[in-house]
Amino acid sequence: MIKRYLIGKHLAKGVILYSVLCMYMLHTSVIAQNIATPSIRLNNNVVVSNALTPITWLADNTHSGKLPVQVLLQFQSLPSASAKAQLKDNGIILLDYLPGNVYTAIVDSLPPASVFQSSGISLIADVQPGWKISDELKQALTLQADFADVTVLFTGDYSRADIDAQFYELGAEIISERITMGYCHIKIPVDKVLQLAQWHHVSYM
């Protein structure tokens, strides 16, 4: 039987959000790079090969059909409050900060290239679903089972209707609900876990 990944029902919302950031940093902590090099190096010395300059990223016509998407944004320096507001006004919502002047973010709409330039963004990388799946869960998915019990941590401005629609589409069933606190425990077909991890409102599983 696949091990359940419960966080603990008595945790406060602040603890949950802190856990999201800590677990994400464990797998995707970023070291500052020379901004002329189109790559972001992870803490395990794996280079994020899909890191692109803003102009190159915007030129990729496939993004318009995938929005919203979750990305890593590397800045030349930490963005000011006005830069964050400008990004938000142009469809880019900053989420969690990571070392190396990097933020996770959700891109709802494609902004003009000038917005990236004025905000000081040097590199962009699409977040890969495998980055959001814990090593324990990856190991559990190799077992001979049709379903997995998974704790899903959410991020961004999500709604209960959004979550219900996503779970329904993937055949997932809510086992215990703490959606207002940023997570819930579900039962999901094993072959749908990676697809769920692709959703821009999933932070970690």
Side-chain angles (χ1 to χ4, degrees):
M1 179 177 181
I2 295 179
K3 179 182 178 181
R4 299 192 174 204
Y5 300 90
L6 295 175
I7 293 179
K9 61 182 179 180
H10 298 299
L11 290 177
K13 183 176 181 179
V15 176
I16 293 296
L17 295 178
Y18 180 76
S19 299
V20 174
L21 180 57
C22 287
M23 287 188 289
Y24 206 109
M25 288 175 62
L26 178 64
H27 289 269
T28 62
S29 179
V30 182
I31 300 174
Q33 297 267 309
N34 183 327
I35 64 173
T37 302
S39 61
I40 299 174
R41 187 176 298 276
L42 306 184
N43 63 350
N44 57 1
N45 292 322
V46 175
V47 174
V48 178
S49 59
N50 63 332
L52 302 171
T53 62
I55 293 178
T56 304
W57 189 86
L58 285 171
D60 184 352
N61 294 328
T62 63
H63 285 116
S64 60
K66 297 188 301 181
L67 298 176
V69 295
Q70 193 176 136
V71 298
L72 294 179
L73 299 177
Q74 186 170 54
F75 292 81
Q76 297 174 22
S77 59
L78 289 178
S80 64
S82 61
K84 293 178 181 179
Q86 181 188 35
L87 289 171
K88 185 175 181 179
D89 290 341
N90 284 273
I92 300 178
I93 311 300
L94 299 186
L95 301 173
D96 295 318
Y97 174 77
L98 302 176
N101 295 335
V102 174
Y103 276 87
T104 60
I106 292 177
V107 179
D108 285 321
S109 59
L110 297 179
S114 59
V115 171
F116 288 108
Q117 183 178 4
S118 61
S119 300
I121 294 173
S122 56
L123 293 174
I124 307 177
D126 291 336
V127 171
Q128 303 302 303
W131 300 353
K132 306 184 202 178
I133 301 176
S134 68
D135 290 338
E136 286 184 306
L137 179 54
K138 288 177 181 177
Q139 293 175 2
L141 295 178
T142 64
L143 302 177
Q144 298 297 319
D146 296 327
F147 291 87
D149 287 357
V150 181
T151 295
V152 184
L153 306 181
F154 303 108
T155 190
D157 188 17
Y158 59 87
S159 69
R160 175 58 189 264
D162 294 333
I163 292 172
D164 286 343
Q166 189 71 17
F167 286 171
Y168 178 80
E169 179 181 346
L170 300 178
E173 175 187 350
I174 295 177
I175 298 176
S176 63
E177 176 187 327
R178 296 292 186 275
I179 292 175
T180 58
M181 296 179 66
Y183 73 98
C184 72
H185 188 67
I186 66 171
K187 181 177 181 180
I188 184 173
V190 168
D191 61 354
K192 298 296 184 181
V193 169
L194 192 63
Q195 189 173 342
L196 177 59
Q198 291 176 327
W199 192 36
H200 62 282
H201 281 310
V202 168
S203 174
Y204 200 77
M205 300 194 301

